[in-house]
Amino acid sequence: MYYIIDIIEIYIIFIMVLIYSIMEPISFFLSPTLVSHKQYEALRMYFVENRPAHEVAAHFGYTYRAFTSLIFSFRDKLSSDITGSFFFVENRPGRRISSGTKQIKSLIIEMRKKYYSVPDIKVVLDGLGYSISEKHIFNIVSGEGFSRLPRRSRLVRQQLENVQIAAEKSYPLTFDPEVFKSSNAGILMFLGLIKRYKIDTVIDKSNYPATTLIGKTPSILSFLALKLSNRRRYSSDDTWCMDRGMGLFAGLNVLPKTAWYTSYSDRVTSEMNRKFLKQLHRVWMKAGLLEDTSNLDFTTIPYWGDDSHLQNNWSGKRGKALSSMLAVLAHDPDSGLIDYGNTNILQKDESAVVLEFLDFYHSNNTKKNDKLRYIVFDSRFTNYENLKKLDQAGINFITIRRRGKLMLNRISNLPASGWKKARVECAGNKHRTLRVYDEQVLLKGYDKDIRQITITGNGKIKPAVIITNDFDLTIEKIIRKYARRWIVEKSISEQISFFHLNMVSSSMVIKVDFDLTMSILAHNLYRLLALELERYSNLSIQSLYDKFVLNGADIIINENTITIQLKKKRNLPLILEVMQKFSRQKFSWLNNKKVIFEGASYS
């Protein structure tokens, strides 16, 4: 009996469990707990089972008005998304991808397709205000199937195909604590030299204009940043206006865009440039960087627009005469600085340029600090009448005479007894033996005797004929002084190739005289850096840039300091040693912060 009762109880329990297991799925649909599920079942009952709206609303606990609003919203969403995905959301594991992340990812992929490296992409994203690590960029690039880029030369990297990116507008930095990356941080090494020689004060006292948002000093430093960073074609690689390290050089978030440079240049006059060069001249004189000799030479700057207002000048660079502007440079052979430049020269005024330079030089000096004793130039620079004026002004000149047929015949008939041997110092502590003939001759237009030194054995087909009004200096020193004039030709070549002076492919339209002034300042800063490097003082500007200035860095802005962590490089120890000299300086355009250079842990 008891056995039968137990079996019945067990059977009842089984039936109840079975009913409960059957009822639970039904209650899941009829009594939903999730909001989206509840809405789905209510709408299904209304549209599929054709139940009245007031009845469905009462069943699921809605007010009639609330349920009719739900119906209207559902119809509206369904018209734009027929799949109904707003009810069925698939949860994927991992970090959620926002619309901003998708935009960054597409930008990274676009730049990688143009062969930008991960550090280059990081620099651009920092300039656009995106906070993303190199590791994350690498993961995105790897996830899209891109392989590692091969090692490329600097020139190849600068010629990368441009990516159309809207860079941020330039504005003065707030200098809030932050960290960012730069691929051109090496130009920040020049900040110490600018402060030491008070070039920032010269800029501040100049007549150069300021803009509404960007002051006078940041404006000039923006031009200087492009010159120092070897930007030959400003428009072909405009990622420089996204490099925050280059912007920091001028105290800005990023450098201005191309149109700003053209607009600013239009406001600069020749008188502003001349006054600026005069102020720089005083700086070089006070620092003892100008000695007793100046080398002068012409260069032509071609013009490819409407050239009806220009004259044809001979261009040695292109081996022909073309429509151009004629410019002159004055170069100190000892320090390597360029002291003077002028582009407003007409052919009829060529001969008077040497006198204009003399006026420029003397207007900046008193007799007490006036060091100029020698001016050296080639045969076509001026005429004999102006040589006479130099002599009357107490200036010694060294130049070369043109060698016509009569001159060559006269040299061939000079008595053999008058020829002497001169051992002249050459580069690398070497010497060369030359045959020289020292005499005094009378020149028409000069109206008095002048010293003439004829030189043979110098490797040229024709002999060289030097004339000077210095009768006391030895032959060897006169030849040496004139030979060093060729240094100014080398400087002109550097101006053309490195500082964009003579390159016509740029779409950034800058006034030539202003461009020359900025090139002169950039050239002098490189020479000052070379003097700090001692053993490397004779390197060309291109070599200085490649060995020392071309470098990337992590830049850390703190409360009182700006730390530049330069990448590993062969000459990094020497750079850090030199930069240590400027570690106590504070920079007004950098919120009076100190700039500290360190070595990064990677290359």
Side-chain angles (χ1 to χ4, degrees):
M1 182 69 179
Y2 292 105
Y3 179 74
I4 295 173
I5 293 174
D6 290 340
I7 293 175
I8 293 173
E9 289 179 350
I10 294 172
Y11 180 75
I12 292 172
I13 293 170
F14 174 77
I15 294 298
M16 291 178 65
V17 171
L18 182 63
I19 292 172
Y20 179 77
S21 63
I22 294 173
M23 289 299 294
E24 186 178 16
I26 295 174
S27 63
F28 173 80
F29 290 102
L30 298 179
S31 302
T33 56
L34 297 176
V35 174
S36 58
H37 187 193
K38 181 179 177 181
Q39 292 175 349
Y40 175 83
E41 293 297 337
L43 291 169
R44 183 182 181 280
M45 183 178 290
Y46 175 77
F47 285 105
V48 177
E49 299 180 10
N50 294 318
R51 304 279 287 275
H54 64 85
E55 183 180 332
V56 176
H59 184 274
F60 287 96
Y62 290 111
T63 63
Y64 177 77
R65 181 63 178 168
F67 184 63
T68 54
S69 297
L70 179 63
I71 294 172
F72 177 79
S73 176
F74 173 74
R75 291 181 186 276
D76 183 57
K77 289 180 180 180
L78 197 63
S79 63
S80 59
D81 185 3
I82 196 172
T83 62
S85 60
F86 46 89
F87 276 125
F88 306 100
V89 180
E90 182 180 358
N91 293 321
R92 296 181 179 179
R95 180 186 297 177
R96 292 186 178 182
I97 301 176
S98 63
S99 59
T101 304
K102 290 180 180 178
Q103 182 181 0
I104 295 175
K105 183 176 179 180
S106 62
L107 185 59
I108 291 172
I109 294 172
E110 182 184 0
M111 284 191 286
R112 188 59 167 195
K113 288 179 179 179
K114 306 294 185 183
Y115 299 102
Y116 282 76
S117 65
V118 171
D120 291 337
I121 296 173
K122 168 67 173 170
V123 169
V124 173
L125 294 180
D126 281 347
L128 294 174
Y130 295 117
S131 179
I132 183 171
S133 66
E134 285 192 48
K135 179 65 176 177
H136 192 185
I137 296 172
F138 176 77
N139 290 339
I140 291 176
V141 169
S142 300
E144 293 296 321
F146 291 98
S147 59
R148 187 181 181 90
L149 290 175
R151 185 178 293 275
R152 298 162 296 168
S153 67
R154 175 188 57 81
L155 184 60
V156 172
R157 293 198 303 271
Q158 278 197 350
Q159 292 177 343
L160 292 175
E161 188 176 347
N162 187 29
V163 179
Q164 297 299 325
I165 304 171
E168 282 195 345
K169 185 178 181 179
S170 295
Y171 57 81
L173 268 179
T174 58
F175 294 97
D176 295 328
E178 60 175 326
V179 180
F180 54 86
K181 187 177 288 292
S182 170
S183 60
N184 291 281
I187 67 170
L188 297 171
M189 295 191 300
F190 293 101
L191 290 174
L193 294 169
I194 291 173
K195 189 67 178 180
R196 171 188 282 182
Y197 293 98
K198 299 182 179 180
I199 296 174
D200 56 321
T201 304
V202 174
I203 296 173
D204 188 58
K205 291 182 179 179
S206 69
N207 293 335
Y208 286 130
T211 65
T212 305
L213 193 60
I214 304 177
K216 184 187 302 183
T217 299
S219 296
I220 299 302
L221 292 180
S222 295
F223 279 91
L224 198 56
L226 294 182
K227 291 290 183 181
L228 295 172
S229 60
N230 193 20
R231 295 291 167 174
R232 301 188 184 187
R233 292 184 62 190
Y234 300 152
S235 60
S236 67
D237 176 17
D238 61 0
T239 54
W240 48 263
C241 65
M242 301 177 193
D243 192 319
R244 297 205 56 197
M246 296 182 69
L248 177 65
F249 180 85
L252 305 172
N253 61 327
V254 291
L255 291 181
K257 300 178 184 63
T258 303
W260 179 91
Y261 287 89
T262 301
S263 176
Y264 185 91
S265 169
D266 289 340
R267 300 168 60 194
V268 177
T269 64
S270 298
E271 184 58 33
M272 294 178 187
N273 296 321
R274 185 176 178 84
K275 181 180 178 181
F276 186 66
L277 288 176
K278 283 186 176 182
Q279 291 173 328
L280 288 178
H281 174 86
R282 296 189 186 103
V283 171
W284 313 139
M285 287 295 299
K286 187 176 181 179
L289 294 170
L290 299 179
E291 296 301 329
D292 66 346
T293 304
S294 282
N295 296 331
L296 299 178
D297 203 1
F298 288 117
T299 184
T300 55
I301 303 175
Y303 184 81
W304 302 97
D306 180 13
D307 57 7
S308 59
H309 62 294
L310 297 176
Q311 297 174 327
N312 281 349
N313 297 293
W314 176 259
S315 172
K317 181 78 173 178
R318 292 174 172 82
K320 62 180 180 180
L322 40 78
S323 296
S324 58
M325 295 184 220
L326 194 61
V328 64
L329 296 176
H331 178 270
D332 186 279
D334 295 298
S335 63
L337 300 185
I338 293 178
D339 184 39
Y340 172 76
N342 187 6
T343 61
N344 299 319
I345 299 172
L346 300 177
Q347 290 176 356
K348 65 182 180 65
D349 301 324
E350 281 185 47
S351 298
V353 168
V354 64
L355 302 178
E356 292 177 4
F357 167 70
L358 205 59
D359 292 338
F360 168 87
Y361 193 97
H362 288 319
S363 66
N364 283 278
N365 301 286
T366 62
K367 291 183 178 180
K368 187 176 180 180
N369 63 3
D370 192 348
K371 289 185 176 181
L372 186 62
R373 294 292 178 270
Y374 291 92
I375 298 181
V376 186
F377 41 84
D378 69 7
S379 61
R380 298 177 183 271
F381 199 84
T382 191
N383 53 35
Y384 294 151
E385 288 79 4
N386 287 332
L387 292 183
K388 182 179 180 179
K389 293 179 181 179
L390 289 177
D391 183 71
Q392 292 171 347
I395 300 296
N396 292 324
F397 58 82
I398 301 175
T399 184
I400 197 168
R401 287 189 71 178
R402 301 180 189 179
R403 298 162 297 191
K405 185 175 180 181
L406 294 177
M407 174 71 71
L408 294 176
N409 290 335
R410 181 183 180 279
I411 292 173
S412 62
N413 294 324
L414 289 174
S417 58
W419 290 92
K420 299 178 182 178
K421 288 186 178 181
R423 189 171 172 80
V424 181
E425 182 183 355
C426 302
N429 293 325
K430 296 180 179 180
H431 292 78
R432 185 169 185 175
T433 302
L434 302 173
R435 291 181 69 239
V436 298
Y437 194 97
D438 191 358
E439 59 180 329
Q440 295 183 23
V441 298
L442 181 66
L443 293 181
K444 184 178 180 181
Y446 189 70
D447 298 333
K448 60 186 294 189
D449 285 344
I450 197 169
R451 187 180 182 184
Q452 179 171 288
I453 302 172
T454 306
I455 308 168
T456 61
N458 59 349
K460 294 184 178 294
I461 298 175
K462 297 180 180 180
V465 181
I466 292 177
I467 54 175
T468 178
N469 60 342
D470 189 336
F471 295 90
D472 300 322
L473 201 63
T474 63
I475 294 176
E476 291 80 4
K477 290 184 178 180
I478 288 177
I479 295 174
R480 177 65 175 163
K481 273 187 176 291
Y482 185 81
R484 297 184 72 186
R485 191 198 68 83
W486 293 323
I487 300 175
V488 71
E489 296 180 356
K490 178 183 176 184
S491 298
I492 290 174
S493 178
E494 288 179 342
Q495 293 279 331
I496 291 171
S497 62
F498 189 89
F499 294 116
H500 186 70
L501 180 63
N502 201 11
M503 306 193 83
V504 297
S505 53
S506 171
S507 67
M508 184 184 291
V509 182
I510 306 297
K511 282 188 176 180
V512 175
D513 53 346
F514 181 52
D515 190 59
L516 177 64
T517 304
M518 293 296 101
S519 297
I520 288 173
L521 178 54
H523 170 95
N524 290 346
L525 285 173
Y526 266 100
R527 294 318 330 155
L528 293 175
L529 176 63
L531 294 176
E532 295 292 332
L533 298 172
E534 294 181 355
R535 295 185 180 182
Y536 298 90
S537 59
N538 293 323
L539 286 182
S540 67
I541 290 177
Q542 184 66 60
S543 296
L544 287 170
Y545 175 77
D546 292 337
K547 290 180 180 294
F548 298 98
V549 179
L550 178 60
N551 203 355
D554 294 321
I555 299 175
I556 306 169
I557 299 180
N558 294 318
E559 184 178 353
N560 299 315
T561 61
I562 299 174
T563 304
I564 316 296
Q565 295 183 340
L566 294 169
K567 290 182 179 181
K568 288 182 179 178
K569 203 169 184 178
R570 178 181 297 175
N571 295 309
L572 181 60
L574 178 57
I575 293 174
L576 298 180
E577 181 181 343
V578 172
M579 290 300 105
Q580 186 64 28
K581 302 176 184 178
F582 310 110
S583 59
R584 295 184 179 182
Q585 293 178 339
K586 293 183 179 180
F587 304 90
S588 58
W589 67 97
L590 299 181
N591 202 27
N592 288 317
K593 295 182 183 290
K594 295 180 180 179
V595 177
I596 300 173
F597 287 84
E598 297 178 352
S601 58
Y602 63 96
S603 58

